Amino acid sequence: MIRGEKGTAKSTAVRALAGLMPDLKVINLPVSATEDRVVGALDIEHAIKTGEKKFEPGLLAAAHGHILYIDEINLLDDHIVDVLLDAAAMGINTVEREGISYSHPSRFLLVGTMNPEEGDLRPQLLDRFALSVDIGGEKDVRERALVIRRRMDFERDPASFSAHYEAEQERVLNQILQARERLDQIDVTDDMLELAAKIGIALEVEGHRSDITLIKTALTLAAWRGQDSISHEHMQEAAYLVLPHRMRRQPFEESGGIEQRLHALLRSTAMVQA
């Protein structure tokens, strides 16, 4: 989940994933999409005439094994949210019409972007996002000017712009592939498992999904950096990605209060240097 004000390149960041991982497609689900467009449609007339099922695949079928991207996900209709929750939980999309049903595998990486000023997301769907990041407009003058420069360079000649960063993209792709191979070799100690449990209990996060995701994220960070065990630093970095969107906002809590509570807890566990 990427949250931030409008015009901060949230959608650009998601679409760039396809360029980074050539075998990964980004399937866009518009907020105005109908249920049939999302889950697919059954041709009832064909079934009655021939006795055979005829299924027109939807976006969930196209997204199987890829990224399902929803811009302005907080504006999605409730019945589409219900469909996504079912598919995400079961890994299967089932369409039922007039007593006829059809199912197909539906496993995808769900990526959503939203502007918090335009409304919240249902807690059930929010919990399905393993990680979340908040982004904002650049405040440093030089860095902001660099953003303008790069955007103008891209608009002037998109092919040359992409070619300029091709070597860097190749380097990142190789690092991802090496990290993927290293994952199964990394040790997860009982101390780290107990630390994940303590954090979840202290922050009163519902369920155990956050505990498991915290460990998996720390494991991924260790693999990304070529290390063979999870450290407190990996757990600390993972916590800021996994927990803020799962924590309950307390009554009268001001903006930034959740991050402050998380930081205080991590300090109390000696994970952050005072």
Side-chain angles (χ1 to χ4, degrees), residues 59-267:
L59 294 172
L60 288 180
H64 179 57
H66 299 285
I67 294 173
L68 183 64
Y69 168 52
I70 309 172
D71 188 20
E72 298 181 323
I73 191 170
N74 50 330
L75 305 182
L76 205 60
D77 288 342
D78 282 349
H79 68 284
I80 301 296
V81 171
D82 292 338
V83 166
L84 291 175
L85 288 173
D86 287 344
M90 304 299 293
I92 296 173
N93 175 43
T94 300
V95 182
E96 294 183 339
R97 300 285 188 273
E98 306 293 336
I100 301 173
S101 68
Y102 181 88
S103 298
H104 65 79
S106 181
R107 296 188 180 279
F108 50 84
L109 297 174
L110 180 62
V111 179
T113 55
M114 59 178 280
N115 181 352
E117 295 177 355
E118 297 175 343
D120 294 326
L121 198 62
R122 279 172 55 181
Q124 298 94 331
L125 182 57
L126 192 61
D127 190 49
R128 286 291 168 184
F129 288 96
L131 314 174
S132 71
V133 292
D134 293 321
I135 63 172
E138 180 60 57
K139 304 301 183 187
D140 182 87
V141 172
R142 291 187 176 181
E143 292 295 325
R144 193 163 181 133
L146 183 59
V147 171
I148 301 170
R149 169 64 64 193
R150 288 182 174 175
R151 175 68 191 192
M152 293 177 68
D153 288 346
F154 174 78
E155 291 181 351
R156 185 177 298 114
D157 190 343
S160 296
F161 182 88
S162 298
H164 180 74
Y165 292 98
E166 190 171 335
E168 176 65 11
Q169 293 219 146
E170 185 71 20
R171 184 193 66 76
V172 175
L173 173 59
N174 287 333
Q175 188 171 353
I176 291 172
L177 296 176
Q178 290 172 11
R180 183 184 292 176
E181 292 179 356
R182 196 178 294 115
L183 271 177
D184 291 339
Q185 305 168 18
I186 297 177
D187 184 37
V188 181
T189 65
D190 289 343
D191 287 347
M192 290 297 116
L193 297 179
E194 290 179 5
L195 180 56
K198 287 178 182 176
I199 292 172
I201 292 170
L203 294 176
E204 300 179 343
V205 179
E206 294 181 350
H208 301 291
R209 187 174 289 128
S210 64
D211 306 346
I212 297 168
T213 306
L214 181 59
I215 287 294
K216 286 184 175 180
T217 304
L219 188 65
T220 303
L221 289 168
W224 170 256
R225 293 179 181 137
Q227 295 161 342
D228 55 12
S229 63
I230 297 176
S231 68
H232 278 198
E233 286 71 24
H234 298 140
M235 292 290 285
Q236 173 193 331
E237 189 173 348
Y240 284 110
L241 296 169
V242 173
L243 297 173
H245 65 292
R246 292 186 164 90
M247 293 167 61
R248 291 181 179 175
R249 188 173 296 280
Q250 296 180 343
F252 310 110
E253 188 171 41
E254 297 180 353
S255 176
I258 286 179
E259 288 74 15
Q260 291 175 7
R261 274 191 287 141
L262 175 59
H263 188 66
L265 174 69
L266 298 179
R267 285 175 63 93

